[in-house]
Amino acid sequence: MTQSTMRTGAPFTFGPIPIPRNRQIAQDIFRIYSIKAGMRVVTCESGLEALAIYDAEANPNITWLCEQPLQLNQPIGKRPQYTFDLALQYDVGDPVHLEIKPSTRLVQSANGQKAPPYWDKLKPVCENWGFNIDFRTELDYALRSQLITNWRTLLPFASVAYRDPDEELETRILNLSSRRTGVSIRQVCAAEPDQDSNTVIASIARLLHQGRLSAPLNEERVTPNMILTEVLRES
């Protein structure tokens, strides 16, 4: 699924919705080159939203994302319109539109659980139009903090390889990583003496991004000694 351009209907608008300039000036803005947003720069209004982007890039089961993806063109609480922070498309199912809020800004909802403000009003409106919605806080990303930190490093490398993929190099990397004990990043680079090491790392990052390679990215900081293993796929 791709929603790369805005289109407007009576009850809602699909994004990415531009962030007004006054909000860009008043808030901390993060710009991230995103593969899953269609190889473009996405704009986040907070560090927490930036974490959500890196977390999505790290998940091979997420195939597409869009920031500011959906605006409800009707009053919700005190807001004249309501815009969600992020949409994610998984391998199966419809996109999920997310509200991303610090846990301190959640309030008590009708079912007794904590949720973003106006959640009880949002849910029936979105269900009426067939939109799946959910919310995330910093607590959802805390257990994946090392993974997210590593993808801050790896994402620029992966982006380079997506723009100019070297499938022959990737095949050689997969063959090396198919060993029972895997292979380190350092060993892969050493096995490609005619290639610049950054080019090799870019291909490794793309394979990790696609889920064709695995590594303990949520357990340790990425270094040349990190072990890579090929992910075997069902035929």
Side-chain angles (χ1 to χ4, degrees), residues 128-148:
N128 181 58
W129 293 107
F131 296 124
N132 296 326
I133 68 171
D134 204 346
F135 63 91
R136 301 283 188 273
T137 73
E138 77 283 358
L139 303 178
D140 293 294
Y141 302 114
L143 294 176
R144 300 191 292 278
S145 61
Q146 185 63 69
L147 178 71
I148 291 168

Side-chain angles (χ1 to χ4, degrees), residues 7-233:
R7 56 190 178 90
T8 304
F12 50 81
T13 303
F14 287 126
I17 308 295
I19 299 172
R21 183 163 179 77
N22 63 327
R23 274 170 43 199
Q24 292 194 37
I25 294 172
Q27 302 186 70
D28 291 331
I29 293 296
F30 295 78
R31 292 181 173 84
I32 302 168
Y33 190 85
S34 168
I35 296 166
K36 294 183 180 180
M39 303 294 287
R40 64 179 178 83
V41 175
V42 301
T43 302
C44 309
E45 293 190 86
S46 70
L48 184 53
E49 290 181 24
L51 291 183
I53 297 294
Y54 285 113
D55 186 66
E57 293 286 348
N59 187 344
N61 296 320
I62 293 174
T63 59
W64 170 86
L65 66 84
C66 180
E67 80 285 19
Q68 305 287 305
L70 173 67
Q71 177 178 280
L72 303 178
N73 297 323
Q74 66 180 78
I76 300 290
K78 297 180 181 179
R79 301 186 185 185
Q81 299 97 19
Y82 194 99
T83 304
F84 286 88
D85 294 316
L86 183 65
L88 302 177
Q89 174 69 60
Y90 289 82
D91 287 334
V92 296
D94 295 324
V96 180
H97 294 84
L98 297 177
E99 185 68 11
I100 299 170
K101 285 279 186 287
S103 57
T104 55
R105 293 181 59 186
L106 302 185
V107 299
Q108 200 85 356
S109 64
N111 65 5
Q113 303 295 315
K114 293 278 187 148
Y118 316 125
W119 202 249
D120 294 329
K121 297 181 182 297
L122 278 169
K123 288 204 75 172
V125 170
C126 291
E127 287 172 359
N128 181 58
W129 293 107
F131 296 124
N132 296 326
I133 68 171
D134 204 346
F135 63 91
R136 301 283 188 273
T137 73
E138 77 283 358
L139 303 178
D140 293 294
Y141 302 114
L143 294 176
R144 300 191 292 278
S145 61
Q146 185 63 69
L147 178 71
I148 291 168
T149 297
N150 282 332
W151 273 102
R152 288 183 187 272
T153 300
L154 290 170
L155 190 60
F157 284 99
S159 299
V160 169
Y162 270 95
R163 289 194 293 269
D164 186 19
D166 187 334
E167 294 183 0
E168 291 184 0
L169 173 58
E170 290 178 358
T171 297
R172 294 196 299 272
I173 292 170
L174 289 171
N175 287 338
L176 277 173
S177 63
S178 65
R179 300 173 181 173
R180 184 182 298 273
T181 57
V183 64
S184 71
I185 294 175
R186 187 189 307 277
Q187 289 171 318
V188 173
C189 291
E192 295 290 337
D194 296 331
Q195 296 277 0
D196 180 81
S197 61
N198 285 334
T199 299
V200 178
I201 292 169
S203 289
I204 289 171
R206 188 173 106 112
L207 291 168
L208 289 166
H209 189 266
Q210 294 173 336
R212 298 168 68 193
L213 276 181
S214 68
L217 291 169
N218 201 34
E219 301 165 22
E220 60 186 80
R221 183 174 63 90
V222 62
T223 70
N225 295 321
M226 179 170 277
I227 298 298
L228 309 169
T229 55
E230 183 184 14
V231 175
L232 298 178
R233 305 198 173 196

